[in-house]
């Protein structure tokens, strides 16, 4: 079930990181994008969103029908940036320890040894997350929030960078446990990839006949570059007009939905916008970055009175972008 | 979804503030409207007294309405107001001695009275107008304020407007006050609508346009002839001779005192009489501070009139008119009218006569008068036992009469004990201390005070008015009489009377004798003025100056020397003979000086005479005059309206747009410069394509325009620089200059005319 590698130890977390120049971030992103593009046909928007999520230290939730390349997208990005990748297939009988790992008694050394779970990876693909019972989901989401795992009273930090790419099956709703809102809120973004169009699908078939291109995919960036790029993103400036604009958007959703965007959502929105600006080669956020990120960042956190379905959240965010004055 | 929730809380707070401001303005409008008609009524009470009561009543009504606005429903309030009006008028009828029953017993008369008032009859003519104001004011004040508070602005304005309209129709509301009231009403309705319909400040420009339009219309279209509007043609009997008719017929119930006047030498009528007399055409009892009003109404002549109580001499006169007239000159006091004219004669409550239908040239009528001519000794002993109806009516002083006036009067009448001695002292004082001149500037304040305390000269109207008021200040009943002096005697029993013989004098009441004439106007010098005018007219060959018999007479003889009787009589009796040249008690002015302003309305006969010329000179010599408060306010209102109109039509927006586009401003820090350059660019793009939507970012805006191939890389460059100044780390001086020059170049490229030259 897992192909996790040992985590690199966390000493570099405390060390000061030298941020990458903004133009290099843009270049890095372009490299990753084109590399992934060798495997994934279309979905440029989705690729960008995943990259910016990683740079913004967030997590992403992909919701779609099976078979549109969710897993392939996650794997190819992980491969491109030369980091550890693990995958957890969520099933109804999955236990929390199946994710975090357990202490195993070593008969030879006559002591307990911690067996790392699949969560210890730089990029973790949590497949069909809504098929597992809430308790198991909670274990994952705690790890996402705390960036650490506690097993048998011992707390172990997760590797850095740490990004969860979760997928959620939109069909078969009666055989799933829907994620509670509080947990959905922990995903920076929720994306829907959608089906490829006719040309893209033909291209896809052409590529995958014979050897799958993922097997020949080479990394284009190392982990250190990613860490430095994340530092750059964190330093992208967000001026008052932009902050105010983000606040106005959030307030708008609160006024026009039963449950609007939380302050955590606003923070996520600005982080995502920072990443977007950096990817665009800019050292400052402009309102366009915010607008670009708002649907993916805010929609899934909004609940309207009519139903619990996220469609309405998207509509509210679109409305907000349409109506809220930029300055 | 309501508008409020759509706008969001911040916008709602603004809207609430705006709507509160609109409400205040609307209520201000109601207040102005109320103020306008209350002001008119205050003008009335300033004359007849009761200002304090009226103000207290108005304040009480507003307070009551404020309290009741929370308590009772509009229908109840309307009923209450109607009841209030009913009680008010019942009070008036009771106070006027008629009793409430008059409503039922004389309904038709009341209705016809109402119609009479509504067609230009001044409320001043009501005998008990002070009480009437108290009855009139509560209902409209209460109702309009109540309805305003209940946000029924239209109904409120209807209530107040009705009151104002009534006063406009009676001719008592001056144009300025009316305009102000109208603007107030419009403001109430307009701002009320804005409040109710959630309007914005930007929409008030429509109101400003309406205000200005109304003001403009109200000055160009005068629906109701104002008091003293002698030029209104509908009142003229004969357009060829506006002077006399304008004077004596237009507003026979009311005369106003004007400034300089001229003399008309035309013959008005001839009299066959057993003796000379002042030919009286009217008497007035109520003084308004700037004119005289005859209260009460006229009745048809129905047989002999009561004769004065004392001994009288009966004088038969036959008057033949030389032009149309709405007056019937006769010696005081007429007691009987010949049968031929009786049916066309009306009698005023003061005992004067006037024709019901205007008389035409050549008409003659006979009239019998009982002339009162007691001796000085008799008058001295007459006492002060005045009847109540005399003291009620003929002692009225304007409320604002100053103590200086009364003190001065007391000084003048110092040691006089009887009313007769007082009258003589006053008459003598005026004759001796004041000069005679037709060329006076009308004082701003009360005529009598200015004339007694400040002016050095005046003409008969000033003398007579002042004397009446001084007598009244001394509690001697007196009234103001107008008419003609005796005129030129052409035969033993015949007199020719001209326009310039018109005169004003005083009648004083003595118990047991009735009304006795006094003439405070001095003689001699004005007599020469008069004679010179006649001589001049004759030399110029003006028509209608003479009858067949008067031509032969020598001027001096004709105008002054030939009718000594009456003047002598007055002079001798009043012991002023020493100061008045013998036989010169007559002075004449154009009849207009008895009533209306004559400036600019000189008649044909005097158009080319030196007096008229000098008059014209005088008015042009005045040079530049600062506009008065009214003109300033009027001009200001028009200006605001004009600006609002320009705003509405977008002229101002376009002009300022153009200015902002080309005005790059002073250079400051680079960021500001870039921002300003970008704003100019946006303005340009706005003019050529469309404005940036508020929810559009710079990029989206430029992209949208780029998609249509409308913007080039220069525009994008400026947009990027702007983004950096606004969201990024700013720009340097060089980049700022680049932005400014780029925008300059773009603006030049796109200015149509410049572009043409460049090609």
């Amino acid at each position: 079930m897992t192909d996790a590698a040992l985590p690199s130890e966390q000493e570099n977390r405390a060390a000061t990181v030298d941020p990458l120049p903004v133009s290099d971030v843009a270049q890095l992103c372009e490299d990753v994008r084109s590399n992934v593009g060798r495997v994934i046909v279309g979905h440029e928007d989705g690729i960008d969103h995943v990259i910016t999520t990683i740079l913004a230290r967030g997590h992403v939730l992909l919701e779609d029908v099976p078979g549109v390349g969710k897993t392939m997208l996650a794997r190819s990005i992980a491969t491109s940036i030369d980091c550890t990748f693990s995958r957890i297939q969520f099933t109804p009988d999955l236990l929390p320890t199946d994710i975090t790992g357990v202490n195993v008694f070593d008969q030879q050394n006559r002591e307990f040894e911690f067996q790392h779970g699949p969560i210890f990876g730089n990029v973790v693909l949590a497949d069909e997350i809504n098929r597992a019972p809430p308790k198991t989901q909670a274990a994952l989401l705690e790890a996402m929030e705390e960036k650490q795992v506690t097993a048998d009273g011992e707390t172990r930090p997760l590797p850095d960078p740490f990004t969860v790419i979760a997928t959620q099956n939109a069909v078969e709703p009666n055989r799933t446990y829907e994620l509670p809102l509080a947990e959905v809120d922990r995903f920076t973004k929720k994306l829907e990839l959608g089906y490829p169009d006719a040309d893209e699908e033909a291209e896809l078939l052409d590529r995958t006949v014979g050897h799958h291109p993922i097997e020949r995919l080479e990394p284009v960036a190392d982990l250190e570059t990613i860490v430095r790029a994340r530092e750059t993103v964190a330093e992208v400036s967000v001026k008052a007009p932009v902050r105010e604009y983000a606040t106005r958007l959030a307030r708008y959703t609160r006024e026009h939905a039963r449950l609007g965007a939380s302050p955590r959502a606003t923070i996520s929105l600005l982080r995502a916008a920072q990443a977007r600006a950096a990817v665009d080669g800019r050292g400052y956020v402009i309102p366009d970055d915010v607008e670009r990120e708002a649907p993916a960042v805010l929609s899934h956190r909004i609940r309207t009175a009519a139903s619990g379905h996220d469609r309405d959240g998207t509509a509210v965010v679109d409305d907000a972008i349409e109506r809220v004055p930029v300055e | 979804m309501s508008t409020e929730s759509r706008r969001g809380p911040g916008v709602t707070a603004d809207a609430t503030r705006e709507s509160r401001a609109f409400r205040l303005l609307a209520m201000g409008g109601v207040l102005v409207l109320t103020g306008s008609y209350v002001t008119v009524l205050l003008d009335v009470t300033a004359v007849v007294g009761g200002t304090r009561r009226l103000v207290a009543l108005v304040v009480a009504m507003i307070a009551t309405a404020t309290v009741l606005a929370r308590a009772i429903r509009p229908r109840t309030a309307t009923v209450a107001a109607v009841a209030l009006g009913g009680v008010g008028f019942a009070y008036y009828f009771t106070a006027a001695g008629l009793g409430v029953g008059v409503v039922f017993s004389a309904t038709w008369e009341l209705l016809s009275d109402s119609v009479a008032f509504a067609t230009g009859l001044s409320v001043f003519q009501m005998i008990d107008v002070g009480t009437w104001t108290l009855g009139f004011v509560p209902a409209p004040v209460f109702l309009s304020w109540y309805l305003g508070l209940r946000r029924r602005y239209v109904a409120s304005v209807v209530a107040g407007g009705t009151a104002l309209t009534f006063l406009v129709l009676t001719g008592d509301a001056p144009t300025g006050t009316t305009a102000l009231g109208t603007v107030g009403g419009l403001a109430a309705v307009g701002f009320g609508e804005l409040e109710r319909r959630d309007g914005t400040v930007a929409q008030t420009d429509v109101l400003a346009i309406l205000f200005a339009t109304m003001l403009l219309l109200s000055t160009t279209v005068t629906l109701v002839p104002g008091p003293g509007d002698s030029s209104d043609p509908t009142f003229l009997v004969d357009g060829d001779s506006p002077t006399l008719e304008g004077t004596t017929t237009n507003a026979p119930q009311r005369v106003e005192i004007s400034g300089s006047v001229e003399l008309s030498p035309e013959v008005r009528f001839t009299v066959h009489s057993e003796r000379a007399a002042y030919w009286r055409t009217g008497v007035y009892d109520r003084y308004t501070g700037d004119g005289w009003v005859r209260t009460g109404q006229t009745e048809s002549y129905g047989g002999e009139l009561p004769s004065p109580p004392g001994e009288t001499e009966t004088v038969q006169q036959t008057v033949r008119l030389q032009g149309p007239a709405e007056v019937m000159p006769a010696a005081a006091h007429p007691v009987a009218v010949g049968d031929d004219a009786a049916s066309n004669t009306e009698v005023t409550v003061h005992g004067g006569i006037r024709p019901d239908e205007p008389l035409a040239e050549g008409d003659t009528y006979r009239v019998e008068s009982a002339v009162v001519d007691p001796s000085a000794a008799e008058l001295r002993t007459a006492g002060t036992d005045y009847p109540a109806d005399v003291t009620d009516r003929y002692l009225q002083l304007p409320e604002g009469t100053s103590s200086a006036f009364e003190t001065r009067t007391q000084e003048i009448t110092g040691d006089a004990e009887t009313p007769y001695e007082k009258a003589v002292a006053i008459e003598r004082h005026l004759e001796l201390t004041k000069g005679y001149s037709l060329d006076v500037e009308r004082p701003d304040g009360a005529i009598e005070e200015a004339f007694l305390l400040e002016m050095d000269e005046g003409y008969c109207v000033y003398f007579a008015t002042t004397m009446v008021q001084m007598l009244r200040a001394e509690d001697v009943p007196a009234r103001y009489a107008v008419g003609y002096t005796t005129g030129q005697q052409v035969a033993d029993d015949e007199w020719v009377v001209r326009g310039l013989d018109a005169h004003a004098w005083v009648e004083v009441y003595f118990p047991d004798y009735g009304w006795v004439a006094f003439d405070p106007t001095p003689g001699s010098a004005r007599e020469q003025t008069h004679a010179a005018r006649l001589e001049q007219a004759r030399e110029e060959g003006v028509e209608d100056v003479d009858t067949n018999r008067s031509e032969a007479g020598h001027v001096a003889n004709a105008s002054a020397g030939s009718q000594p009787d009456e003047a002598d009589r007055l002079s001798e009796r009043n012991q002023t003979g020493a100061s008045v040249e013998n036989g010169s008690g007559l002075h004449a002015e154009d009849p207009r000086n008895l009533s209306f302003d004559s400036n600019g309305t000189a008649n044909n006969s005097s158009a080319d005479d030196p007096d008229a010329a000098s008059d014209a000179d005088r008015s042009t010599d005045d040079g530049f005059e600062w506009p008065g408060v009214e003109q300033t306010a009027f001009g200001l209102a028009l200006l605001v309206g004009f600006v609002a109109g320009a705003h509405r039509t977008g002229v101002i927006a376009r002009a300022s747009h153009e200015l902002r586009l080309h005005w790059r401003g002073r250079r400051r820090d680079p960021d500001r410069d870039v921002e300003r350059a970008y704003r100019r660019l946006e303005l340009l793009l706005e003019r050529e394509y469309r404005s940036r939507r508020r929810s559009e970012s710079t990029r989206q805006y430029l992209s949208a325009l780029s998609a249509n191939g409308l913007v080039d890389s220069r525009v994008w460059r400026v947009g990027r620089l702007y983004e950096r100044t606004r969201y990024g780390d700013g720009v340097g001086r060089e980049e700022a200059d680049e932005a400014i020059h780029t925008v300059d170049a773009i603006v030049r490229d796109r200015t149509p005319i410049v572009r043409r030259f460049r090609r």
Side-chain angles (χ1 to χ4, degrees):
Chain A
M1 189 162 66
T2 74
D3 50 0
L6 276 176
S8 55
E9 276 312 317
Q10 311 301 313
E11 65 269 32
N12 59 350
R13 178 174 284 182
T16 51
V17 180
D18 183 27
L20 212 59
V22 174
S23 54
D24 289 4
V25 175
Q27 188 54 51
L28 165 76
C29 190
E30 182 55 43
D31 291 347
V32 173
R33 196 185 291 136
S34 60
N35 201 45
V36 173
R38 290 163 62 189
V39 177
I40 306 293
V41 182
H43 297 317
E44 286 88 357
D45 218 38
I47 297 168
D48 274 6
H49 271 304
V50 175
I51 296 170
T52 51
T53 308
I54 293 170
L55 293 179
R57 302 169 199 240
H59 311 282
V60 63
L61 176 63
L62 300 176
E63 181 180 82
D64 228 318
V65 290
V68 292
K70 301 187 289 276
T71 311
M72 197 54 64
L73 174 66
R75 272 185 67 189
S76 52
I77 288 176
T79 309
S80 296
I81 59 179
D82 191 22
C83 62
T84 57
F85 173 78
S86 60
R87 174 184 167 161
I88 314 168
Q89 182 67 49
F90 280 59
T91 56
D93 57 356
L94 191 72
L95 296 174
T97 48
D98 293 336
I99 297 172
T100 58
V102 286
N103 279 315
V104 178
F105 188 72
D106 189 330
Q107 298 285 355
Q108 279 183 325
N109 298 339
R110 306 198 59 79
E111 59 183 18
F112 281 96
E113 189 183 282
F114 185 71
Q115 193 75 48
H116 289 92
I119 193 78
F120 290 87
N122 292 116
V123 174
V124 178
L125 175 63
D127 221 355
E128 299 198 88
I129 186 174
N130 55 344
R131 285 203 189 282
K135 192 179 178 185
T136 312
Q137 291 175 358
L140 173 75
L141 293 160
E142 267 173 48
M144 284 162 55
E145 184 70 10
E146 316 273 325
K147 307 235 159 148
Q148 61 188 17
V149 164
T150 306
D152 291 345
E154 199 178 338
T155 298
R156 294 161 204 277
L158 290 169
D160 184 58
F162 171 70
T163 295
V164 173
I165 301 175
T167 72
Q168 179 165 277
N169 205 335
V171 295
E172 302 179 304
N174 52 341
R175 294 167 68 180
T176 57
Y177 301 93
E178 199 187 339
L179 288 176
L181 192 70
E183 298 180 351
V184 172
D185 204 20
R186 292 182 190 168
F187 286 100
T188 309
K189 300 181 187 182
K190 181 171 139 182
L191 304 174
E192 284 162 23
L193 294 179
Y195 290 109
D197 61 28
D199 287 349
E200 286 171 348
E201 193 155 359
E203 168 78 18
L204 181 74
L205 293 175
D206 185 40
R207 283 193 203 174
T208 46
V209 170
H211 288 292
H212 196 283
I214 187 89
E215 289 158 20
R216 298 193 300 272
L217 203 63
E218 296 293 326
V220 290
D222 56 12
L223 208 54
E224 194 210 336
T225 315
I226 295 298
V227 170
R228 286 178 63 196
R230 293 206 320 184
E231 198 59 30
T232 311
V233 166
E235 287 179 5
V236 166
S237 74
V238 186
K239 285 281 179 63
V242 177
R243 290 200 297 270
E244 284 156 14
Y245 177 53
T247 314
R248 278 200 294 276
L249 284 176
R251 291 183 68 88
Y252 182 93
T253 64
R254 280 170 220 160
E255 283 157 13
H256 293 83
R258 184 168 55 84
L259 184 70
S262 63
R264 173 154 59 189
T266 318
I267 295 168
S268 299
L269 177 58
L270 285 182
R271 283 210 181 137
Q274 281 177 307
R276 180 66 69 176
V279 166
D280 206 24
R282 247 181 300 111
Y284 51 90
V285 177
I286 60 174
D288 304 75
D289 300 326
V290 177
E291 279 190 21
R292 183 97 188 269
E293 295 295 334
V297 176
L298 299 183
S299 296
H300 63 287
R301 308 173 200 246
I302 292 169
R303 291 286 177 276
T304 54
S307 73
H309 209 274
D310 292 20
R311 277 289 163 211
D312 301 310
T314 316
V316 171
V317 174
D318 287 347
D319 259 13
I321 292 171
E322 186 66 32
R323 301 226 169 123
V324 173
V326 170
E327 24 187 71
Chain B
M1 190 185 284
S2 78
T3 33
E4 291 193 355
S5 66
R6 189 152 42 74
R7 283 169 161 192
V11 183
T12 311
D14 275 357
T16 312
R17 208 168 25 248
E18 267 180 17
S19 104
R20 197 170 300 147
F22 285 143
R23 176 151 175 71
L24 278 179
L25 287 168
M27 289 312 289
V30 173
L31 213 55
V32 168
L33 176 59
T34 307
S36 70
Y37 60 84
V38 171
T39 308
V40 175
L41 295 179
L42 284 175
D43 286 345
V44 172
T45 58
V47 170
V48 300
T51 301
R52 205 170 294 170
R53 273 184 303 167
L54 182 67
V55 170
L57 190 60
V58 169
V59 171
M61 278 303 125
I62 288 179
T64 313
T66 310
V67 173
L68 290 185
R70 297 164 188 282
I72 61 176
R73 290 182 308 145
R75 192 170 300 173
T76 322
T78 311
V79 172
V82 170
L84 212 56
V87 169
F89 282 101
Y91 170 62
Y92 166 63
F93 287 136
T94 313
L98 294 169
V100 184
V102 74
V103 176
F104 305 102
S105 62
T107 314
W108 177 248
E109 282 80 356
L110 282 180
L111 279 178
S112 72
D113 278 6
S114 307
V115 172
F117 278 116
T119 49
L121 197 64
S122 169
V123 295
F124 271 113
Q125 282 157 241
M126 278 186 229
I127 294 170
D128 202 359
V129 66
T131 312
W132 178 84
T133 59
L134 297 182
F136 176 81
V137 84
V141 169
F142 169 80
L143 199 58
S144 65
W145 190 250
Y146 168 87
L147 290 170
L149 287 176
R150 297 289 288 225
R151 291 191 165 75
R152 307 210 167 179
Y153 299 110
V154 175
S156 160
V157 169
V158 167
T162 308
L164 181 61
T165 307
F166 179 77
L167 292 174
V168 168
L169 289 177
T170 63
D172 289 294
T175 314
T177 311
T178 311
L180 201 66
T182 315
V183 167
L186 187 64
V189 174
F191 286 120
E193 275 305 284
L194 282 179
E195 184 208 345
R196 278 184 36 193
R197 299 188 186 278
D198 225 359
T200 64
V201 177
Q203 287 167 303
T204 51
D205 57 353
V206 183
L207 279 183
I209 298 169
L210 276 179
F211 287 155
T213 314
M214 291 201 58
L215 278 180
L216 207 59
L217 282 181
S218 70
T219 50
T220 50
V221 183
T222 315
L223 196 66
V224 179
D229 188 359
S230 63
S231 59
D232 193 290
T234 59
F235 281 83
L236 291 179
V237 177
D238 184 343
D240 286 336
S241 50
T243 312
L244 174 62
E245 281 63 44
T247 304
T248 52
T249 66
N250 276 8
Q253 305 280 26
R254 183 168 193 171
V255 292
E256 286 186 1
I257 297 167
S258 56
S260 300
V261 291
E262 289 164 19
L263 300 173
S264 166
E266 288 179 42
V267 173
R268 299 307 183 198
F269 57 92
T270 58
V271 187
H272 283 274
S273 171
E274 296 157 11
R275 59 168 287 179
Y278 277 15
W279 316 114
R280 197 179 73 181
T281 58
V283 289
Y284 297 86
D285 56 335
R286 177 166 288 162
Y287 179 60
T288 65
D290 57 1
W292 287 91
V293 174
R294 182 189 305 143
T295 65
Q297 299 195 349
T298 55
E299 286 176 2
S300 296
Y301 174 73
E304 287 224 348
L305 300 172
S307 176
E311 208 173 295
T312 58
E313 178 189 346
T314 302
V315 178
Q316 299 287 347
Q317 306 139 70
T318 305
V319 179
R320 179 184 177 83
L321 293 168
Q322 301 292 322
E326 283 192 20
V327 291
M328 290 174 78
H333 305 269
V335 291
V337 179
D339 293 339
D340 49 342
S343 62
N344 190 30
T345 302
E346 292 202 322
V347 184
T348 70
V349 292
H350 307 278
I353 54 171
R354 57 187 300 261
D356 189 17
E357 292 293 319
L359 300 172
E361 179 175 353
D363 280 358
T364 60
Y365 58 90
R366 283 184 296 111
V367 60
E368 179 184 316
S369 297
V371 175
V372 184
D373 193 12
S375 70
E378 283 170 332
L379 291 177
R380 239 181 233 111
T381 56
T384 55
D385 188 14
Y386 302 116
D389 60 336
V390 170
T391 52
D392 278 353
R393 198 171 284 184
Y394 301 108
L395 283 178
Q396 170 252 327
L397 280 170
E399 243 183 18
T401 303
S402 71
S403 57
F405 179 78
E406 289 173 7
T407 312
R408 186 85 188 94
T409 306
Q410 270 170 20
E411 285 169 21
I412 292 162
T413 60
D415 42 3
E417 286 170 7
T418 65
Y420 173 74
E421 282 165 359
K422 287 177 182 171
V424 171
I426 292 167
E427 187 184 48
R428 190 169 196 164
H429 173 82
L430 292 176
E431 277 181 339
L432 291 178
T433 59
K434 304 294 178 187
Y436 185 88
S437 169
L438 292 172
D439 187 14
V440 295
E441 201 162 309
R442 191 197 179 291
D444 287 334
I447 301 286
E448 78 284 3
E449 290 190 23
F451 189 66
L452 178 64
L453 302 173
E454 292 156 23
M455 296 168 72
D456 293 325
E457 48 188 22
Y459 49 89
C460 61
V461 171
Y462 288 79
F463 282 95
T465 300
T466 307
M467 178 163 170
V468 172
Q469 294 307 312
M470 289 171 78
L471 284 170
R472 288 181 176 185
E474 289 290 306
D475 291 331
V476 178
R479 65 188 189 185
Y480 174 82
V482 297
Y484 296 85
T485 53
T486 49
Q488 178 189 0
Q489 188 166 23
V490 293
D492 280 351
D493 61 348
E494 186 176 355
W495 284 266
V496 170
V497 183
R498 295 183 174 80
L500 44 65
D501 290 321
H503 193 43
W505 60 93
V506 179
E507 289 187 348
V508 184
Y509 189 84
F510 291 95
D512 301 332
Y513 296 98
W515 294 99
V516 176
F518 284 77
D519 189 351
T521 315
S524 58
R526 1 318 179 219
E527 205 46 55
Q528 285 150 22
T529 316
H530 157 100
R533 177 75 191 95
L534 180 60
E535 183 73 351
Q536 179 201 2
R538 279 177 171 156
E539 281 171 9
E540 287 165 1
V542 178
E543 287 178 22
D544 299 332
V545 170
D546 287 304
T547 63
N548 293 336
R549 303 178 67 173
S550 70
E551 279 172 25
H554 181 260
V555 174
N557 188 32
S559 59
S562 63
Q563 62 279 70
D565 315 19
E566 179 70 358
D568 276 353
R569 189 174 60 80
L570 288 179
S571 298
E572 280 167 14
R573 188 190 64 214
N574 300 341
Q575 300 173 338
T576 55
S579 64
V580 180
E581 200 172 288
N582 202 17
S584 64
L586 299 183
H587 8 269
E589 298 94 28
D590 181 287
R592 282 178 302 182
N593 67 356
L594 296 179
S595 56
F596 307 117
D597 183 24
S598 66
N599 286 338
T601 57
N603 60 24
N604 294 336
S605 64
S606 62
D608 53 352
D609 76 359
D611 284 356
S614 72
D615 198 42
D617 283 350
R618 187 170 45 79
S619 51
T620 51
D621 281 351
D622 284 346
F624 180 75
E625 275 183 29
W626 287 101
V629 178
E630 270 182 34
Q631 286 102 311
T632 313
F634 183 72
L636 215 60
L638 283 189
L639 188 70
V640 169
F642 176 76
V643 170
H647 175 67
R648 252 294 125 155
T649 52
V651 171
I652 290 183
R654 277 202 292 278
S656 87
H657 190 281
E658 210 54 40
L659 188 69
R660 279 184 293 159
L661 198 56
H662 290 277
W663 171 252
R664 67 158 85 123
R666 207 156 47 86
R667 291 185 191 200
R668 296 197 193 151
D669 63 300
D671 285 357
R672 283 288 300 278
D673 287 350
V674 169
E675 189 169 342
R676 210 148 43 190
Y678 172 71
R679 297 284 171 223
R680 284 164 60 210
L681 181 66
E682 261 193 7
L683 278 173
L684 179 79
L685 295 174
E686 182 185 322
R687 192 178 67 187
E688 303 219 329
Y689 313 114
R690 66 168 173 84
S691 59
R692 183 173 66 78
R693 292 185 198 104
R694 292 192 68 211
S695 64
E696 247 176 350
S697 70
T698 304
R699 251 169 220 233
Q700 286 163 340
Y701 178 51
L702 296 184
S703 299
L705 297 185
S706 296
N708 298 324
L710 299 175
V711 295
D712 51 23
S713 58
R714 290 182 303 174
V715 174
W716 271 111
R717 172 72 182 150
V718 177
R720 287 288 148 83
L721 287 174
Y722 169 70
E723 264 182 0
R724 262 174 63 191
T725 62
R726 182 141 178 90
Y727 306 112
D729 42 8
V731 294
R733 183 71 259 170
E734 272 180 28
E735 285 161 316
D737 289 347
E738 180 198 339
I740 291 171
H741 291 135
T742 309
V743 173
D744 279 351
I746 296 172
V747 169
R748 265 201 306 278
D749 282 358
R750 310 222 173 186
T751 304
I753 298 168
V754 178
R755 186 173 53 199
R756 193 164 303 152
F757 278 116
R758 283 161 69 97
R759 274 178 187 173

